Amino acid sequence: QMGLSGLKQAANDPKLLAQLMQDLQDPEMMAEAKKMMESSEYKKQMKELEKSKEFKESMKKTAEMMKDPSTAARIQAQMEHMVKRGQDTMKKEAKATMNEAMEAMANPDAMKQAAEMMKNPEFQKQMADMAKDPAFKNYVAAMEEMMQDPSTKSRMEAMREQYQGSQL
């Protein structure tokens, strides 16, 4: 049920739809989805859903709409537009988060605290795990794009030097 309500929500939320499309590209996420769909509880819920009047009407309406090539093309174009809008939103949010992090790191006390945290093996493990998360790729991509800007690049260089200085 939760998955289906999520799909309904994604159909109306460009950011959620873009995240869903990104998740569909992730082998680990797909393996988890496959495992969930193979569970007896999921199969039971799906059988009950398939019996519902709402599901049957929705499937019939969808099939009818997809028979008309112009309607199918319009729906596809709408979905592509929504995904693009969602991707843009995710990119802007990741950029804003990275900017906030850079602002925080401009503070020498915050930089010193970050340097201490980086020495902690548990924190290092958390960072390594986070780097594997598909959502983290948005932040990496945002940072790579931000680094194309010479002023951002020089700010990062200054922060790197400040970090190295705090290691002495």
Side-chain angles (χ1 to χ4, degrees):
Q1 281 294 54
M2 200 167 97
L4 292 173
S5 67
L7 286 175
K8 282 183 182 179
Q9 205 175 347
N12 296 311
D13 181 344
K15 181 181 166 193
L16 197 54
L17 181 62
Q19 184 65 54
L20 174 64
M21 298 305 285
Q22 183 177 321
D23 290 347
L24 290 172
Q25 302 299 315
D26 178 25
E28 287 181 33
M29 293 285 267
M30 294 310 297
E32 284 297 315
K34 182 179 180 194
K35 194 164 91 175
M36 178 195 70
M37 289 188 287
E38 290 172 348
S39 75
S40 58
E41 182 61 30
Y42 178 84
K43 289 177 182 178
K44 179 182 169 191
Q45 287 178 356
M46 286 306 295
K47 282 184 182 177
E48 293 200 18
L49 175 70
E50 290 169 359
K51 293 176 188 175
S52 76
K53 182 180 176 184
E54 181 184 347
F55 179 80
K56 289 177 183 177
E57 287 175 2
S58 179
M59 291 303 290
K60 183 179 177 183
K61 183 179 174 184
T62 301
E64 287 173 14
M65 287 187 331
M66 297 314 272
K67 285 180 186 175
D68 177 21
S70 64
T71 301
R74 181 179 50 79
I75 291 170
Q76 181 177 353
Q78 286 174 330
M79 293 303 279
E80 289 172 0
H81 176 70
M82 281 183 65
V83 169
K84 175 75 173 107
R85 280 183 38 215
Q87 289 170 334
D88 290 346
T89 298
M90 288 168 56
K91 191 181 212 178
K92 285 177 187 171
E93 288 176 359
K95 236 177 167 175
T97 300
M98 295 308 294
N99 270 323
E100 286 176 24
M102 287 176 67
E103 292 296 324
M105 291 301 163
N107 176 332
D109 292 334
M111 184 57 80
K112 186 176 180 180
Q113 187 177 8
E116 286 301 313
M117 288 172 64
M118 293 293 190
K119 294 175 186 175
N120 181 333
E122 181 64 27
F123 182 76
Q124 292 172 0
K125 183 185 178 321
Q126 288 174 340
M127 291 298 289
D129 290 345
M130 191 171 72
K132 295 175 190 170
D133 183 339
F136 190 70
K137 293 175 185 169
N138 293 327
Y139 297 100
V140 172
M143 199 66 205
E144 287 172 351
E145 186 175 313
M146 290 168 70
M147 290 301 285
Q148 301 304 314
D149 176 38
S151 66
T152 302
K153 194 171 186 172
S154 66
R155 280 176 60 200
M156 283 299 289
E157 284 296 316
M159 286 182 356
R160 183 178 62 80
E161 289 169 14
Q162 184 180 354
Y163 174 77
Q164 288 175 336
S166 70
Q167 295 294 297
L168 302 175

